[in-house]
């Protein structure tokens, strides 16, 4: 079944959508699509069928998001922890993924028409090589699309993502691109797999579980969390509306918390820069304390240099990541 | 047309607000009412947005009360202590580390102290208290005073078994070699969240800069060890969030990967039954850990 649905909303759904759109709408929604196996048990079908239904529901949900002007969606498709499942189930999921990504590549015209950019976040080296190549091809071929974004977390856990970001920064330090004092919250965010996306505004988890299960822990620190008891394959447009309504209810207080956090972050960066400058001035100062003007000039100069260093590092990182996908994608073609 | 939709939206939000207020009001009322009819009516009303499965818990709670009558003799504090301890033991599972997330503007130290004392009396070893303005942390000593006072009030003078080990933050890392089995309370603020992760990252990068290790050495367990001040304190299994905001507001991002989140409307005038209800909900949840 297809990734892209082109169905219209019913009249009632259209009205509901318009009412919701009168308020603040989330621009980026993350889904933990939980409940496929319980759904399969409930309907007395195979687990694999539950996962298939789950995928269909994903396609449908993307269509609703389009109608609601939600341009970016991130989904938790496969956790590194899921490798612990029975081999048969894991193999089944890998097969399903291969089918879906193959199908995705067949629909490239449709993807171009809707300008959908697919990104896959996670440690792809943990997946079978042929799946890696398919994924790389899908990512490569949609990389310039910019109307809507679908981020699929595959072989992903948040702790791995954060650790990987720290490793990338350490790589930058080893390469001499940045200093350890350049490490900051903002820089770490830019080294995550999700660095091209804004933080999710809304995180929805289905099936009644009330935990994050190692999903986007860093990015959702100030997001609206909505836990819904419906099983994922049974998710409806009205469930989505309910979640958005809850987001709107929380909007002002969460915005306030976000602004507060950003201010504190900026303050911390300023303090860190000041400390570095003080150290530099001490080295070059011959013991004489520098006057306020000199300190200010030194601070501005230091900040500018730091930002340039960081920019160069991020360019190098982007190049490294793009090459990874390009190389894999070209392997897929050569086959 | 846009104006009409705008008005309808505002109306919808007002309805949601009314619904939430009604739910909190009814929860308060239901504490004193045991009538079956009330329970069914409330269950019907609460069904759409109910967070706590409230009527079931109230029933269970009432059953507990009836089956464990407090001893007629003996002082009130002692009977409360044993009641709370048995409540904890009756639960299928109890968190070792609980987080109390206060997502409200003005923290009430008495209520927070109550919550801490209840948690410890029920058998929870580690209690973390957090608010995203960092107010509680700034008033650390005030909270400690309140906890000591509430301990005496609620658990009696002989509450020495429950003496709290109060962990302060920052550079006092040596205090964290907890040898006794006394309950531990820690006050957290946003600095303990992302900022701690950044500090750990800086430390690792510095060691790479000094050629003490290479970037390839950095692993999840290495970062985890750095972020875990004491080997003994596990990740919080449960976070109880007080207040209307549906967000973690920066609470320990690294540590909450498997944490259950249970919401209570407010920490102001929170009751022991509310807290126990949250613990009962936690006890009934199923963790599959990816499998």
């Amino acid at each position: 079944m297809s990734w892209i649905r082109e169905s219209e909303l019913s009249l009632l759904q259209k009205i509901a959508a318009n009412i919701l759109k009168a308020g603040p709408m989330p621009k980026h929604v993350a889904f933990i699509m939980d409940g496929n196996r319980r759904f399969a048990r409930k309907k007395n079908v195979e687990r694999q069928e539950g996962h298939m239904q789950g995928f269909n529901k994903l396609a449908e949900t993307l269509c609703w998001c389009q109608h609601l002007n939600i341009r970016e969606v991130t989904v938790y498709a496969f956790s590194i922890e899921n490798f612990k499942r029975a081999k048969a189930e894991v193999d089944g999921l890998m097969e399903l993924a291969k089918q879906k990504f193959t199908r995705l590549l067949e629909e490239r015209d449709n993807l171009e028409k809707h300008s959908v950019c697919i990104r896959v976040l996670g440690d792809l080296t943990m997946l079978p090589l042929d799946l890696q190549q398919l994924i790389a091809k899908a990512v490569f071929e949609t990389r310039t699309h910019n109307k809507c974004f679908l981020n699929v977390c595959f072989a992903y856990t948040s702790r791995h993502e954060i650790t990987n970001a720290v490793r990338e920064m350490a790589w930058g330090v080893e390469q001499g691109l940045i200093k350890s004092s350049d490490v900051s919250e903002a820089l770490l965010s830019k080294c995550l797999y999700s660095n091209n996306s804004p933080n999710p505004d809304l995180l929805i988890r289905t099936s009644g579980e009330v935990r994050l299960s190692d999903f986007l822990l860093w990015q959702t620190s100030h997001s609206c969390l909505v836990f819904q008891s419906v099983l994922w394959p049974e998710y409806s447009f009205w469930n989505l509306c309910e979640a958005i309504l809850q987001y709107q209810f929380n909007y002002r207080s969460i915005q306030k918390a976000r602004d507060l956090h950003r201010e504190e972050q900026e303050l911390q960066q300023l303090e860190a820069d000041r400390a570095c400058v003080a150290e530099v001035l001490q080295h070059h100062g011959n013991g004489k304390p520098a006057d306020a003007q000199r300190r200010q000039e030194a601070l501005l100069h230091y900040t500018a240099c730091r930002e340039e260093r960081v920019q160069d590092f991020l360019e190098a990182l982007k190049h490294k990541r793009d090459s990874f996908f390009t190389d894999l994608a070209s392997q897929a073609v050569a086959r | 047309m846009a104006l009409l939709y705008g008005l309808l939206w505002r109306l919808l939000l007002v309805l949601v607000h009314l619904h939430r207020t009604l739910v909190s009001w009814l929860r308060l009322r239901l504490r004193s009412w045991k009538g079956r009819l009330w329970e069914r009516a409330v269950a019907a009303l609460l069904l759409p947005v109910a967070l706590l499965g409230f009527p079931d818990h109230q029933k269970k709670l009432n059953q507990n009360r009836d089956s464990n009558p407090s001893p007629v003799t003996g002082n009130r504090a002692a009977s409360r202590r044993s009641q709370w301890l048995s409540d904890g033991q009756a639960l299928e599972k109890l968190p070792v580390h609980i987080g109390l997330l206060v997502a409200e503007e003005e923290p009430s130290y008495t209520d927070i102290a109550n919550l801490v004392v209840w948690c410890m009396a029920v058998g929870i070893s580690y209690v973390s208290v957090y608010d995203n303005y960092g107010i509680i942390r700034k008033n650390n000593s005030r909270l400690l005073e309140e906890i000591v006072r509430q301990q005496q009030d609620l658990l009696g003078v002989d509450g020495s078994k429950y003496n709290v080990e109060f962990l302060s933050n920052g550079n006092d890392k040596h205090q964290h070699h907890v040898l006794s089995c006394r309950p531990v309370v820690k006050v957290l603020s946003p600095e303990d969240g992302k900022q701690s992760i950044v500090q750990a990252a800086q430390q690792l990068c510095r060691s790479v800069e000094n050629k003490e290790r290479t970037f390839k050495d950095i692993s999840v367990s290495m970062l985890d060890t750095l972020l875990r001040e004491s080997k003994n304190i596990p990740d919080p299994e449960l976070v109880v969030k007080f207040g209307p905001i549906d967000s973690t507001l920066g609470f320990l991002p690294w540590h909450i990967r498997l944490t259950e989140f249970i919401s209570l409307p407010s920490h102001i005038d929170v009751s022991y039954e509310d807290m126990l209800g949250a613990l009962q909900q936690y006890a009934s949840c199923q963790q599959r850990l990816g499998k």
Side-chain angles (χ1 to χ4, degrees):
Chain A
M1 275 221 89
S2 169
W3 285 69
I4 313 277
R5 298 287 159 77
E6 289 182 334
S7 53
E8 285 295 317
L9 296 179
S10 72
L11 180 62
L12 199 57
Q13 288 174 333
K14 272 202 195 111
I15 294 174
N18 284 336
I19 295 177
L20 283 179
K21 282 194 254 188
M25 289 295 283
K27 298 184 192 60
H28 178 184
V29 177
F31 289 93
I32 302 180
M33 309 177 292
D34 201 8
N36 294 335
R37 292 185 295 176
R38 269 167 282 176
F39 173 80
R41 258 202 309 275
K42 187 170 151 186
K43 300 283 177 191
N44 264 323
V45 294
E46 290 291 314
R47 273 186 176 178
Q48 192 68 357
E49 178 61 25
H51 291 304
M52 278 291 292
Q53 291 299 328
F55 175 79
N56 293 338
K57 188 52 67 174
L58 171 61
E60 212 181 337
T61 307
L62 293 174
C63 184
W64 296 328
C65 287
Q66 276 286 76
H67 288 294
L68 291 164
N69 290 345
I70 297 171
R71 302 217 314 169
E72 186 147 16
V73 172
T74 302
V75 298
Y76 201 5
F78 192 85
S79 161
I80 294 178
E81 303 291 326
N82 293 150
F83 279 116
K84 288 191 225 159
R85 291 185 182 179
K87 186 171 188 305
E89 193 183 338
V90 174
D91 290 343
L93 285 165
M94 294 293 137
E95 252 329 293
L96 181 65
K98 271 179 230 172
Q99 278 171 28
K100 293 308 169 190
F101 278 100
T102 309
R103 181 65 203 259
L104 186 76
L105 290 165
E106 286 164 10
E107 292 185 302
R108 64 170 69 85
D109 292 334
N110 222 353
L111 288 172
E112 192 164 339
K113 176 175 158 201
H114 295 274
S115 195
V116 179
C117 175
I118 307 278
R119 298 187 198 126
V120 178
L121 318 179
D123 186 359
L124 300 182
T125 59
M126 294 179 98
L127 302 171
L129 186 60
D130 49 358
L131 180 55
Q132 286 186 45
Q133 287 162 351
L134 278 171
I135 288 174
K137 195 145 183 280
V139 167
F140 182 74
E141 297 203 353
T142 58
R143 70 195 185 288
T144 54
H145 300 171
N146 60 2
K147 215 176 122 211
C148 43
F149 303 88
L150 172 60
N151 307 311
V152 181
C153 290
F154 216 87
Y156 174 93
T157 62
S158 195
R159 283 193 178 181
H160 272 84
E161 185 184 27
I162 296 172
T163 306
N164 186 66
V166 175
R167 215 182 282 129
E168 299 284 29
M169 292 191 291
W171 169 76
V173 166
E174 205 167 288
Q175 298 286 314
L177 293 165
I178 48 169
K179 304 190 197 175
S180 61
S181 55
D182 296 337
V183 168
S184 67
E185 202 178 306
L187 183 58
L188 207 157
S189 298
K190 294 203 186 92
C191 293
L192 297 169
Y193 296 132
S194 62
N195 58 358
N196 290 318
S197 309
N199 288 337
D201 298 306
L202 171 60
L203 170 69
I204 299 172
R205 180 172 189 149
T206 54
S207 88
E209 306 294 350
V210 289
R211 52 184 180 266
L212 298 173
S213 298
D214 225 339
F215 182 58
L216 302 180
L217 300 173
W218 178 277
Q219 297 88 329
T220 58
S221 62
H222 291 79
S223 305
C224 179
L225 305 181
V226 174
F227 298 107
Q228 298 181 288
S229 49
V230 61
L231 297 174
W232 175 251
E234 294 172 335
Y235 203 67
S236 75
F237 179 77
W238 304 107
N239 292 127
L240 183 55
C241 289
E242 193 191 323
I244 294 174
L245 196 58
Q246 216 171 315
Y247 164 79
Q248 294 176 327
F249 195 73
N250 278 280
Y251 181 72
R252 257 201 225 122
S253 33
I254 291 187
Q255 271 311 108
K256 200 167 149 198
R258 275 190 181 186
D259 291 340
L260 180 68
H261 182 79
R262 198 185 40 247
E263 278 168 24
E264 280 172 3
Q265 217 183 312
E266 284 166 10
L267 209 66
Q268 253 149 17
Q269 183 66 77
L270 189 61
E271 287 305 314
D273 283 348
R274 278 213 180 104
C276 287
V277 166
E279 215 183 295
V280 166
L281 285 177
Q282 217 177 18
H283 273 289
H284 300 324
N286 314 323
K288 259 195 319 203
D291 62 24
Q293 196 195 356
R294 182 136 184 265
R295 272 204 306 271
Q296 188 59 18
E297 279 169 13
L299 182 64
L300 289 171
H301 176 76
Y302 179 83
T303 307
C305 287
R306 176 179 55 72
E307 281 169 3
E308 200 184 320
R309 264 197 312 269
V310 162
Q311 236 353 83
D312 290 340
F313 161 68
L314 290 174
E315 284 288 328
L317 183 60
K318 181 174 185 306
H319 182 80
K320 192 164 74 139
R321 286 188 176 166
D322 286 347
S323 307
F324 173 75
F325 281 104
T326 321
D327 293 342
L328 266 178
S330 58
Q331 281 174 30
V333 171
R335 273 167 77 244
Chain B
M1 205 57 187
L3 205 62
L4 175 65
Y5 283 128
L7 283 169
L8 282 169
W9 178 73
R10 269 182 244 293
L11 181 63
L12 196 53
L13 234 56
V14 165
L15 283 171
V16 171
H17 190 77
L18 275 173
H19 186 283
R20 284 197 179 198
T21 320
L22 187 66
V23 166
S24 326
W25 180 82
L26 277 170
R27 287 175 79 258
L28 267 160
R29 283 280 154 278
L30 253 182
R31 263 187 233 157
S32 37
W33 282 77
K34 283 192 202 181
R36 288 239 121 182
L37 198 60
W38 257 119
E39 281 176 351
R40 269 197 238 134
V42 165
L45 257 174
L46 291 182
L47 222 46
V49 199
L51 290 166
L52 270 183
F54 183 65
D56 281 334
H57 288 129
Q58 192 65 358
K59 245 186 274 172
K60 252 189 243 163
L61 207 56
N62 294 335
Q63 277 169 12
N64 267 343
R65 283 282 114 93
D66 296 333
S67 57
N68 295 325
S70 2
V72 175
T73 55
N75 64 58
R76 268 171 101 218
S79 71
R80 256 205 294 257
R81 259 205 327 270
S82 63
Q83 175 64 52
W84 290 345
L85 195 59
S86 66
D87 282 340
Q89 284 161 350
L91 294 170
E92 249 175 66
K93 60 180 186 210
L94 199 59
V96 176
H97 179 180
I98 192 174
L100 302 174
L101 208 172
V102 179
E104 289 169 288
E105 302 253 327
E106 297 281 337
S108 151
Y109 294 93
T110 316
D111 288 306
I112 298 175
N114 280 340
L115 285 163
V116 170
V117 172
W118 291 329
C119 284
M120 294 181 326
V122 146
I124 298 173
S125 315
Y126 302 97
V127 181
S128 294
V129 180
Y130 176 90
D131 78 300
N132 80 311
Y133 289 102
I135 300 177
I136 303 177
R137 187 165 158 178
K138 282 197 200 99
N139 296 305
N140 234 352
S141 45
R142 195 170 150 196
L143 181 62
L144 180 59
E145 275 170 33
E146 278 295 332
I147 292 177
V148 169
R149 189 179 314 147
Q150 292 307 322
Q151 260 187 308
Q152 294 204 318
D153 278 351
L154 299 172
L155 300 176
V157 179
D158 187 31
S160 56
K161 202 163 58 139
Y162 298 89
N163 256 351
V164 155
E165 180 115 25
F166 209 75
L167 288 187
S168 48
N169 313 72
N171 303 322
D172 299 349
K173 297 214 185 242
H174 317 292
Q175 275 186 327
H176 298 186
H177 296 300
V178 176
L179 299 165
S180 65
C181 49
R182 293 190 323 202
V184 168
V185 177
K186 190 149 195 254
V187 179
L188 301 170
S189 70
E191 284 158 36
D192 300 295
K194 284 186 175 176
Q195 204 41 38
S196 294
I197 301 176
V198 171
Q199 279 165 5
Q202 274 173 344
Q203 199 179 322
L204 290 172
C205 285
R206 262 198 300 274
S207 65
V208 168
E209 221 165 33
N210 297 334
K211 311 262 194 279
E212 288 158 22
R213 56 163 64 97
T214 110
F215 75 94
K216 293 198 187 117
D217 297 332
I218 297 175
S219 65
V220 174
S221 52
M222 193 184 280
L223 199 48
D224 192 43
T225 312
L226 274 178
L227 291 169
R228 196 170 298 287
E229 293 170 20
S230 162
K231 288 193 289 285
N232 305 326
I233 304 184
D235 292 337
E237 291 100 330
L238 170 64
V239 161
V240 181
K241 183 177 67 65
F242 300 92
I245 309 181
D246 295 315
S247 172
T248 57
L249 298 174
F251 179 85
L252 296 183
W254 179 269
H255 301 81
I256 54 171
R257 72 181 175 114
L258 295 175
T259 306
E260 303 284 327
F261 289 91
I262 293 178
S263 297
L264 290 178
S266 175
H267 74 295
I268 313 273
D269 292 333
V270 64
S271 74
Y272 171 75
E273 283 78 23
D274 292 332
M275 193 60 212
L276 189 61
L279 291 172
Q280 283 168 336
Q281 196 180 334
Y282 169 76
S284 61
C285 76
Q286 208 199 16
Q287 294 231 331
R288 290 175 295 279
L289 301 170
K291 289 202 270 262

